Amino acid sequence: MNILQDQFDQDQDMSDYITFAHGLYIGGKWRPASDGRVIEVVDPSTEAVIAAVPDATLGDAADAVEAAAAAAEAWRGTPPRRRSEILRRCFELMTERAETLAALISLENGKTLRDARGEVAYAAEFFRWYAEEAVRISGEYNLAPSGANRIVVDYQPIGICVLITPWNFPAAMATRKIAPALAAGCTVILKPASETPLTAYALAALYEEAGVPPGVVNVITTSDPGPLTAAMLADARVRKLSFTGSTGIGRLLLAEAAKHVISCSMELGGNAPFIVFDDADLEAALDGAMIAKMRNAGEACTAANRLYVQAGIHDAFAEGLRRRMAALRVGPGTEADTECGPMISRKAVAKIDRLVQDAVTRGAKVLCGGEAPADRGFFYPPTVLADVPSDSEMAHEEIFGPVAPISRFENEAEAIARANDTEYGLAAYIYTRDLAKGMRVASRIESGMIALNRGLMSDPAAPFGGVKQSGLGREGGQKHGIAEFMEAKYIAVTI
């Protein structure tokens, strides 16, 4: 806890962040839930309650929509350069307070300080990127094929946006949505995960300081998101839903949005294959596997979930990964030397252990880890499994934890077939020294994103998103991300 308090002392008092006194952030004002209820926030390292935040009611959600609607016309009419300057200031403030924000993320999420610092840098970059894109929104002007008229296409803000974000990246998943929405001229209501709400409220205060007008960004927390989300989507003024989370919840939200014909962007579950060919650079592949698997202790939708290693390099890769995973220091994320923090909840640990035990029952070999400790805190040890059968549950279900299941393959065709044997299609990783082979395989993998000889793919300048059951739409990128928050208006003109 000392590292957290020390860092907050450098910036501002910790109570400014870890409190429910600020409450819901609606229309630029902080307030409690209308019925006074709160949600307790738990430190996953100790299971201790560290804060309480308001548990919003249907009335609070309606007020958030009203505030976003009241601010919409003025924000829409704000010159792009001014919007750009505000977004740039958000980036600068996040960068200045990176250590404070990283400490807060580590406390409520459990991720290591190293990972939390990386998240803050990544999250802030969306503001810088969309500060630059805000002034580059352009339309189209063409002659109709008939020659009878001109075709003018104007891109306008889509309207009020409901943004729902998960607990695993409480800063980045919010800014990846908020930054393009604000750049486009939209107002938003953010509903962060109830497990990690403190970061969202800390950032709301930062946005206000950066000059974001009241009502442009509203933040509400709830323990029962279904009814509140349904009520907001039923309001005719809400025109966009952007969700990051599980495929199951995504399907429910799509059904709800369909009732009102609301535009949806969905970044859903993943089941990423990590393919290592015999001709791969072994050490580079191991480096990449540690990043792809252990970023945020495996609690990432892009995490390597199925490691397919060609027979000739399999044993050396498995042993190398075992050594690296077994050497990781497990502990509270807020401790400087921790390399693998806790999971988000006891339920998450139980799920991981269930998947591991199922694989072992079906014949997988435990090379390291594989057993949940009985100590306090939501910890699971870094685990490597070999000879994981294709009928195991973890071959078809997101692990969301520090477990690396390795399977052997013989040839390229088999690797592609096994990689595509999933309903998901978010991310994939390929390691080979043969660039032509790498590109050939990448073209046949059913995935929205491919990392070729890299363990990390996320970049604000690149479109992030998946195919199949991994979602709809894209976030980030030169045009893709901002286009999700705009409508094309066609005007036929005779000159």
Side-chain angles (χ1 to χ4, degrees):
M1 196 68 172
N2 288 339
I3 185 171
L4 182 68
Q5 183 65 66
D6 291 346
Q7 187 53 54
F8 272 92
D9 288 343
Q10 294 175 23
D11 190 43
Q12 54 188 297
D13 190 84
M14 194 188 330
S15 63
D16 285 346
Y17 283 126
I18 305 180
T19 182
F20 65 88
H22 277 169
L24 305 173
Y25 186 67
I26 299 175
K29 298 184 183 302
W30 301 95
R31 58 185 247 191
S34 57
D35 63 2
R37 292 187 304 162
V38 297
I39 305 167
E40 292 184 338
V41 183
V42 174
D43 174 359
S45 296
T46 64
E47 303 184 47
V49 175
I50 55 174
V53 296
D55 192 354
T57 65
L58 288 171
D60 296 325
D63 288 347
V65 174
E66 192 64 44
E73 192 61 33
W75 184 247
R76 176 192 178 106
T78 299
R81 177 59 68 193
R82 177 57 184 153
R83 293 203 298 265
S84 172
E85 290 167 350
I86 291 172
L87 292 175
R88 176 72 189 198
R89 185 58 181 152
C90 288
F91 163 76
E92 291 168 350
L93 288 175
M94 285 191 71
T95 302
E96 289 171 11
R97 297 171 189 172
E99 285 298 312
T100 300
L101 292 169
L104 179 60
I105 291 170
S106 184
L107 178 67
E108 68 172 345
N109 170 277
K111 67 176 60 179
T112 66
L113 284 169
R114 180 186 63 186
D115 280 347
R117 290 176 183 122
E119 179 183 349
V120 173
Y122 177 58
E125 193 63 31
F126 282 101
F127 282 118
R128 176 158 65 172
W129 178 257
Y130 283 107
E132 296 164 346
E133 292 301 308
V135 295
R136 295 188 175 91
I137 300 170
S138 60
E140 302 166 19
Y141 180 81
N142 300 297
L143 178 65
S146 67
N149 62 279
R150 303 286 174 170
I151 296 173
V152 178
V153 181
D154 185 26
Y155 290 92
Q156 301 181 339
I158 197 169
I160 298 173
C161 308
V162 172
L163 315 176
I164 303 177
T165 55
W167 49 262
N168 57 338
F169 289 90
M173 297 302 96
T175 63
R176 197 161 74 184
K177 300 178 189 298
I178 291 172
L182 267 56
C186 300
T187 58
V188 307
I189 301 127
L190 173 68
K191 201 289 299 174
S194 59
E195 295 90 343
T196 56
L198 304 179
T199 301
Y201 284 125
L203 289 175
L206 184 147
Y207 306 151
E208 181 178 318
E209 184 178 348
V212 175
V216 173
V217 176
N218 306 276
V219 183
I220 60 173
T221 42
T222 175
S223 62
D224 190 15
L228 265 71
T229 301
M232 289 189 288
L233 295 182
D235 191 307
R237 295 170 294 182
V238 172
R239 298 310 311 145
K240 180 73 182 185
L241 170 64
S242 181
F243 170 74
T244 298
S246 72
T247 296
I249 298 300
R251 291 179 183 130
L252 295 175
L253 288 172
L254 282 168
E256 191 64 41
K259 296 177 183 177
H260 313 287
V261 196
I262 288 176
S263 171
C264 292
S265 297
M266 295 276 156
E267 194 265 283
L268 306 178
N271 192 12
F274 188 99
I275 303 170
V276 184
F277 287 98
D278 281 343
D279 64 354
D281 180 320
L282 176 60
E283 291 304 313
L286 288 169
D287 289 344
M290 291 300 293
I291 296 170
K293 177 70 263 181
M294 292 305 293
R295 184 180 179 216
N296 196 26
E299 293 178 311
C301 55
T302 56
N305 208 57
R306 300 169 293 146
L307 285 72
Y308 299 122
V309 185
Q310 200 163 14
I313 200 173
H314 175 276
D315 291 351
F317 180 91
E319 174 56 21
L321 191 61
R322 182 202 65 78
R323 285 198 307 268
R324 293 181 182 219
M325 292 280 279
L328 293 176
R329 183 186 182 278
V330 178
T334 52
E335 293 184 2
D337 57 350
T338 292
E339 296 172 300
C340 179
M343 304 298 97
I344 192 64
S345 66
R346 180 69 61 194
K347 181 180 178 181
V349 172
K351 174 191 172 182
I352 295 166
D353 196 54
R354 171 179 62 79
L355 293 175
V356 169
Q357 300 313 316
D358 170 76
V360 171
T361 299
R362 297 173 189 269
K365 300 175 185 176
V366 178
L367 302 187
C368 68
E371 187 173 340
D375 301 336
R376 193 168 180 78
F378 309 136
F379 293 96
Y380 199 88
T383 298
V384 178
L385 303 179
D387 299 328
V388 177
S390 59
D391 65 347
S392 64
E393 292 182 22
M394 69 170 55
H396 304 280
E397 186 176 341
E398 274 191 291
I399 301 170
F400 242 62
V403 178
I406 303 174
S407 300
R408 191 187 310 258
F409 73 89
E410 297 295 333
N411 54 55
E412 182 179 315
E414 181 189 355
I416 293 169
R418 296 182 70 179
N420 288 338
D421 185 21
T422 175
E423 67 176 355
Y424 300 103
L426 183 62
Y429 304 84
I430 303 166
Y431 272 81
T432 175
R433 283 190 174 98
D434 185 341
L435 183 58
K437 177 166 66 177
M439 294 298 291
R440 181 174 66 247
V441 173
S443 71
R444 295 183 61 193
I445 297 293
E446 297 169 350
S447 178
M449 301 179 290
I450 306 284
L452 181 54
N453 293 323
R454 287 179 54 83
L456 184 65
M457 63 185 60
S458 300
D459 191 315
F464 188 105
V467 299
K468 299 197 293 188
Q469 296 295 303
S470 286
L472 303 168
R474 294 294 183 268
E475 295 181 318
Q478 185 174 4
K479 297 180 180 179
H480 303 81
I482 204 166
E484 297 287 335
F485 296 95
M486 307 200 79
E487 294 275 25
K489 176 178 285 188
Y490 158 55
I491 305 169
V493 182
T494 299
I495 297 178

